[in-house]
Amino acid sequence: MDWTAVAAAISAVAVVVSLVIFTVESRRRAEEARKAATHDAISRVLQTMESAVRWQQKPVFIRMFANPELDYALAVLRLRHELPNEESPVAQWTMSQAQLMMAATSDRGSRDIGVQVASKLVEWGQGAVPDEWFLTELELHPPQAQFKVPRERRRRRSLSRAKEGFAEGTAIGLVVLLFQGLKALWTTVK
């Protein structure tokens, strides 16, 4: 038996096994990095959504001219950039929903759409919603390339904010009047 040939064969098998292990490990790391990048992109969109929802909880006279949906749309564009091409329908669907948010006739409607989008993204990130669901939804509501909020919807949103501001102002005024009335009553009783 030629021990040199056996040693060469064992060395060749060791090299092949090492190459296979290296290839499998490289693919595993690449997939892990892709999943981490997807997770980070979704986290950024969710963080932006949370910020937008919290902003809309402030009194209307503070947020009257703010547009948190714009921040959300920009975060969605980043999501679209960071997701691989095979996951592009998710980003496209998210963009179509951001357009619906911007076109909502009230802050509450916009907030409700945003919360639904955030929950779908979380479900998708956990694997509960398949990619095919997004393709089906894209057929129903495709994103518009040249999107602009229709003037009528902008007017209705402004009217909604004005109503909300009037209600908040009335409530503040009533509290002030009540306080002044109690103060006057206290002064006369004293």
Side-chain angles (χ1 to χ4, degrees):
M1 177 181 240
D2 184 15
W3 291 106
T4 308
V6 170
I10 291 174
S11 296
V13 169
V15 167
V16 169
V17 168
S18 296
L19 287 175
V20 168
I21 289 173
F22 174 77
T23 303
V24 169
E25 186 63 22
S26 294
R27 287 184 180 170
R28 186 191 64 76
R29 280 193 215 136
E31 179 65 22
E32 196 173 280
R34 187 187 65 76
K35 284 182 180 178
T38 299
H39 181 269
D40 291 345
I42 290 172
S43 293
R44 266 193 297 282
V45 170
L46 293 176
Q47 187 176 30
T48 304
M49 182 61 221
E50 180 182 341
S51 173
V53 169
R54 289 189 189 283
W55 179 257
Q56 290 181 358
Q57 296 299 323
K58 294 182 179 191
V60 73
F61 54 86
I62 292 175
R63 63 181 161 83
M64 182 63 97
F65 301 104
N67 190 358
E69 293 88 0
L70 180 61
D71 294 334
Y72 191 65
L74 292 173
V76 169
L77 287 174
R78 181 183 291 176
L79 174 72
R80 189 172 182 182
H81 170 72
E82 291 178 356
L83 288 179
N85 285 339
E86 64 268 8
E87 294 174 351
S88 181
V90 176
Q92 289 176 358
W93 174 81
T94 309
M95 179 55 85
S96 74
Q97 297 302 303
Q99 291 174 351
L100 289 176
M101 283 175 67
M102 288 187 270
T105 57
S106 69
D107 289 340
R108 177 173 288 183
S110 173
R111 185 173 51 237
D112 291 346
I113 292 169
V115 169
Q116 290 172 353
V117 169
S119 68
K120 277 296 176 196
L121 284 176
V122 169
E123 290 174 7
W124 173 73
Q126 295 173 345
V129 176
D131 292 345
E132 292 77 28
W133 183 87
F134 293 100
L135 290 171
T136 305
E137 287 293 313
L138 272 175
E139 291 173 5
L140 298 173
H141 302 286
Q144 299 173 13
Q146 298 296 322
F147 177 75
K148 186 174 180 181
V149 177
R151 185 172 290 164
E152 178 60 28
R153 289 193 176 253
R154 283 186 297 192
R155 276 193 221 126
R156 289 176 64 190
R157 186 131 184 202
S158 295
L159 181 62
S160 170
R161 285 182 174 173
K163 287 179 192 175
E164 200 174 321
F166 180 76
E168 288 175 2
T170 302
I172 290 170
L174 288 174
V175 167
V176 168
L177 283 174
L178 179 65
F179 179 73
Q180 287 180 348
L182 288 174
K183 184 178 174 185
L185 181 64
W186 180 258
T187 308
T188 58
V189 170
K190 208 174 174 184

